[in-house]
Amino acid sequence: MKKVDVVRAWRDEEYRNSLTEQQRASLPENPAGLAVVSDETLRSITGGCCTTYAKCSKPVCSCVTWPEQCP
């Protein structure tokens, strides 16, 4: 397998799933390793959810609805 195909298999789940079982077995382990993130950490991530509620004095950076997260 060419290097470019290996990198694509690491990055693109759909492509990786399209490979035969033998091809997937021959892939070297991803040097970045497996990303393990706890549920607690995932719940604390709010990127891209900033909004301004009319009743809040500042922008609210949370996906939780008003009034729970008004600063």
Side-chain angles (χ1 to χ4, degrees):
M1 194 175 253
K2 292 186 242 176
K3 284 184 182 183
V4 69
D5 294 330
V6 171
V7 173
R8 182 175 178 197
W10 286 338
R11 292 181 176 192
D12 184 346
E13 183 179 10
E14 187 175 328
Y15 174 72
R16 183 174 54 255
N17 291 337
S18 75
L19 300 174
T20 66
E21 189 174 322
Q22 183 180 11
Q23 289 171 316
R24 286 193 304 269
S26 70
L27 287 171
E29 190 170 323
N30 188 324
L34 180 62
V36 179
V37 182
S38 71
D39 288 343
E40 182 180 334
T41 300
L42 288 173
R43 281 191 291 274
S44 73
I45 297 171
T46 61
C49 291
C50 288
T51 188
T52 302
Y53 293 106
K55 296 183 181 188
C56 293
S57 60
K58 298 179 183 175
V60 176
C61 289
S62 174
C63 293
V64 178
T65 58
W66 178 87
E68 291 122 1
Q69 290 295 320
C70 281

